[in-house]
Amino acid sequence: MCLAIPAQITEVKDGNMVEVTVMGATREVSIDLTPQATLGDFVLAHAGFAIEVVDPQFAEDTLELVRQFPDMVEEEIGITEQAM
């Protein structure tokens, strides 16, 4: 199962790429689909793309639900339960 995970943009890079942090893990994603996204925004990250900008409360609520399923998180974004 693939999930879109809320992530916060921590760095803007060249070529519509940004670095995001999700539950302690850092990834690089494209903002080609969300050109309005800026530093500090929360986005839904899926398959290497930011697919939607979301508000911080939605992001935190969603991450809290994800934390309840550590096996799914480990598989999807490659972090372990200890990092959560």
Side-chain angles (χ1 to χ4, degrees):
M1 172 191 321
C2 292
L3 300 173
I5 303 289
Q8 187 170 28
I9 297 174
T10 56
E11 184 179 343
V12 177
K13 299 184 173 217
D14 292 332
N16 282 343
M17 297 300 290
V18 296
E19 185 172 277
V20 298
T21 300
V22 55
M23 299 173 71
T26 301
R27 299 285 183 264
E28 199 169 289
V29 298
S30 170
I31 56 169
D32 283 341
L33 303 174
T34 54
Q36 74 277 20
T38 61
L39 185 65
D41 282 349
F42 285 88
V43 295
L44 291 180
H46 176 70
F49 288 89
I51 61 172
E52 184 178 349
V53 177
V54 296
D55 68 72
Q57 187 61 54
F58 174 85
E60 186 52 44
D61 291 347
T62 303
L63 289 171
E64 184 55 39
L65 288 172
V66 170
R67 286 183 188 100
Q68 295 176 25
F69 301 96
D71 294 337
M72 186 170 32
V73 173
E74 184 176 333
E75 182 180 313
E76 183 68 21
I77 61 175
I79 63 173
T80 63
E81 190 172 341
Q82 293 84 12
M84 293 188 279

